[in-house]
Amino acid sequence: MDDRSKVRTGLAAVAALCVVATVPGPVGPAWAAPPDGAGEARPYRTAGTSVQGTGEAEGAPLLKPGRGYVDSIAGGEKRHYSVQLDATSGAYVSAVAAPRPGAGVASYRDGLKVTLESPDGTICGNSDRKIEATGVAYPLADYAARQVAPGSVASCRKAGRYLVTVARPAGSQDPARWPLELRLMVEPPVKGGDKEHAPEGSWRTTPPDPPTGKARWRTGGTAFNDARPLSTGVWADQIRPGETHFYRVPVDWGQRLDATAELSAAKTGGTAGVNDALGLRVFNPARGLTKKSSFVAYEGQEARTEVSTIPVAYGNRTARAEYSVRTTSFAGWYYLAVTVSPDVARFFDDVVPLTLRVRVSGTPKPGPTYDGDAVRAGFGLTDADRREAAQGPQTTDDATGVRAGTDNGRLRMVGYVSYAVGGLLLLGLGGWTLAARRRAPAAVAAAPGPGRHRRYGPPSSW
């Protein structure tokens, strides 16, 4: 074997050693190292086609069904858009406004309002959402809906071009423009099947006990677009102070969703407790706010908050009840959003251990018969959806997760040692290569015959 072959062989061996040295072994039962938690809280990740809403109703850009759109909105500003609707389908225009994590927001002052008006100016639906925890910036989301059920406003059951207005109130403490995400979902009309609402007694039933047992790792997404699937069970995650994590759960006709979010006890005491530390919200498949918990305090001991929905039934939309009943009126992916206050950083050096306990209960029912493909429109579930929630996609985040509460310091120490070992090995390789090049002239001088003038060693491009 000549010197060039030796160098190449050595390079391969050292590379293999570096790979082995930089892959940490499992830490804790069945969990490997997560990505380093150090760094800023992740913001909401918008997705969609760029659109520019107008300041006036005239010339408002058209939003098409099933597509996402991205804009931005300032404090005290209104943005106008339009949607073309028929006379038979339900319509839901959602808006998500996402202040950056850590922004200076004020409770019940910062907010977002969405309004849908018929061609003649009649208000068909609206929502008005406010930040409910001072100093805790999190995505505000809800929709304005147009219903065509008997008893709804007659002018809102006509075909035509409807106006969508998204407004952010004046007087915000956050001077920045907020990213804005918009989406129109059109629900096909129903031609038969069960259209009754859930029995009234089910609206106030006691939630079942949360699941127990070993937690499975599932890294939360940053938005509705990358929300991670969950099913009944216990799930572990890690969240940075100031972040909001999104998850999605398949809920069928006749089923209800109960969820609990828990923050683990801190290893060290903080300087002071946090009043609005942990919040949990549920959104329906059209991104309408379905249920929310009040933010709970954290003082270094375990804290938890929970939400519960009623069984999903088509007729809930016309029930004489609170919004949480009316918004539980179609099957599909329901979303969980967990927010942790940036002030929780008083108790944790890095990421915060988070546990989710999710239960979907109730026997699935057939539901109504749609005159169209409701699943394709975003209303309903497939067997593949249920399997995905139970098993979860095989992603890098999940494959490299750790159980909540694992000491990341041990993982970083493994990384530092790995880099040191790798650096020493590379220095050795450099010395090996230099020695080989120095030996090459001597080998040429000693070589007999025509080969005397042949050059050995690595090519000049090495």
Side-chain angles (χ1 to χ4, degrees), residues 87-90 146-158 189-191 195-197 314-320 326:
T88 60
S89 303
R146 189 283 295 267
Q147 300 287 354
V148 293
S152 58
V153 179
S155 60
C156 294
R157 298 199 298 267
K158 296 180 179 180
V190 169
K191 62 182 180 181
K195 293 189 286 186
E196 299 298 322
H197 59 71
Y314 185 89
N316 285 344
R317 65 193 65 196
T318 59
R320 296 181 180 274
R326 295 193 299 273

Side-chain angles (χ1 to χ4, degrees), residues 207-429:
D209 292 333
T212 58
K214 183 178 180 180
R216 287 179 286 172
W217 178 262
R218 186 61 48 85
T219 303
T222 65
F224 288 100
N225 308 294
D226 61 359
R228 305 304 303 285
L230 303 178
S231 59
T232 296
V234 185
W235 303 89
D237 194 0
Q238 289 179 327
I239 185 170
R240 292 189 179 100
E243 278 187 346
T244 297
H245 281 194
F246 284 79
Y247 313 86
R248 53 194 172 101
V249 184
V251 184
D252 217 331
W253 300 106
Q255 293 186 314
R256 62 179 289 170
L257 170 63
D258 299 277
T260 300
E262 302 171 358
L263 292 185
S264 299
K267 294 183 178 179
T268 58
T271 56
V274 180
N275 289 329
D276 299 319
L278 174 66
L280 176 61
R281 298 174 301 286
V282 179
F283 298 88
N284 66 20
R287 303 185 176 183
L289 181 62
T290 298
K291 205 65 180 289
K292 60 182 179 178
S293 71
S294 298
F295 275 76
V296 297
Y298 185 77
E299 297 181 349
Q301 303 302 314
E302 182 180 287
R304 61 186 297 174
T305 186
E306 59 187 27
V307 291
S308 297
T309 72
I310 70 161
V312 175
Y314 185 89
N316 285 344
R317 65 193 65 196
T318 59
R320 296 181 180 274
E322 61 177 9
Y323 78 92
S324 64
V325 174
R326 295 193 299 273
T327 55
T328 317
S329 61
F330 25 71
W333 288 102
Y334 280 68
Y335 298 88
L336 296 173
V338 181
T339 300
V340 172
S341 168
D343 291 337
V344 173
R346 301 171 188 171
F347 295 89
F348 296 90
D349 294 333
D350 199 345
V351 291
V352 182
L354 174 68
T355 300
L356 287 168
R357 302 182 188 275
V358 176
R359 185 181 297 281
V360 177
S361 54
T363 302
K365 296 180 178 179
T369 302
Y370 282 100
D371 187 13
D373 192 341
V375 174
R376 185 175 181 181
F379 305 93
L381 297 167
T382 66
D383 290 339
D385 291 333
R386 299 179 185 90
R387 288 194 298 270
E388 181 185 9
Q391 301 173 3
Q394 298 302 311
T395 67
T396 302
D397 285 346
D398 288 338
T400 60
V402 297
R403 183 177 56 177
T406 297
D407 184 0
N408 284 338
R410 294 169 56 192
L411 304 177
R412 284 192 287 271
M413 180 60 71
V414 171
Y416 298 151
V417 172
S418 300
Y419 288 135
V421 172
L424 290 174
L425 290 172
L426 289 174
L427 287 174
L429 175 60

Side-chain angles (χ1 to χ4, degrees), residues 1-28:
M1 182 183 294
D2 59 23
D3 289 315
R4 181 171 54 187
S5 299
K6 291 178 180 178
V7 170
R8 288 176 174 170
T9 302
L11 178 61
V14 172
L17 287 172
C18 290
V19 170
V20 172
T22 56
V23 177
V27 180

